[in-house]
Amino acid sequence: MAYMNFVPVTGTIINMTGGMDCCSQLMSLRVEDGVINFMVGPETLVIDGRRLMPGMTVTAFYDSTLPVLLIYPPQYQAQIVAVHGRNEQVALNFFDRNLLAADGSLQLNVVGRTVIETSNGQAFNCHPDNRTLLVYYSATTRSIPPQTTPGRIVVLC
């Protein structure tokens, strides 16, 4: 899967309703500019398999290469949904051997307490370099690139 085409949208879930079939749901997110809808189906990777509920802050990633309905509010097919903790941010990117994001937006400083796992929750026992990572973090430095010590890394194998 080409994660480089994934676009993040962060917001608060305001509604979960039945989708076009019994296996999908429509998730409405309140974002800075209004509301954006996401279809969450069987192919959507919901990190930790969490049940999505109104009030949760999430980042939904959609594939910018897929066709989109021309409706308002916008509606996308969610590829990945990550639930945030308090004051937590999420980044999805390819990180090189120095754990620098491909777009130079973030430098990771992995420490012993950083949880590193696969998308199905299993321990990842290798170094996470040269891989696509979903990174959970709270604070960054004001340097260029910003640096962070992530609390958790999900390796997208």
Side-chain angles (χ1 to χ4, degrees):
M1 192 173 295
Y3 297 108
M4 68 195 95
N5 297 321
F6 282 20
V7 176
V9 176
T10 300
T12 302
I13 299 174
I14 55 174
N15 199 15
M16 295 292 295
T17 57
M20 295 169 24
D21 61 34
C22 296
C23 294
S24 62
Q25 291 187 323
L26 183 67
M27 175 178 69
S28 297
L29 288 186
R30 175 155 321 281
V31 297
E32 200 172 287
D33 298 332
V35 174
I36 297 179
N37 292 325
F38 287 91
M39 287 304 300
V40 178
E43 65 285 347
T44 303
L45 172 61
V46 179
I47 302 297
D48 297 329
R50 302 266 310 263
R51 182 175 180 191
L52 302 173
M53 298 172 31
M56 289 180 158
T57 300
V58 300
T59 296
F61 296 88
Y62 69 90
D63 187 340
S64 64
T65 64
L66 295 178
V68 178
L69 297 172
L70 294 175
I71 59 173
Y72 185 83
Q75 180 175 311
Y76 302 101
Q77 175 64 46
Q79 301 298 315
I80 299 174
V81 178
V83 178
H84 292 227
R86 183 181 298 266
N87 299 322
E88 194 171 49
Q89 297 179 56
V90 178
L92 176 68
N93 216 315
F94 179 85
F95 289 83
D96 67 14
R97 64 184 179 91
N98 297 315
L99 295 177
L100 175 64
D103 62 3
S105 62
L106 193 61
Q107 172 76 52
L108 304 182
N109 298 314
V110 177
V111 295
R113 69 178 182 275
T114 302
V115 176
I116 305 173
E117 58 193 6
T118 62
S119 60
N120 66 3
Q122 303 305 305
F124 185 79
N125 296 317
C126 300
H127 196 271
D129 63 340
N130 291 315
R131 297 181 185 274
T132 300
L133 308 175
L134 181 66
V135 180
Y136 290 79
Y137 63 97
S138 296
T140 63
T141 64
R142 294 180 184 227
S143 62
I144 297 178
Q147 296 182 33
T148 189
T149 302
R152 179 178 179 201
I153 296 173
V154 177
V155 181
L156 301 175
C157 297

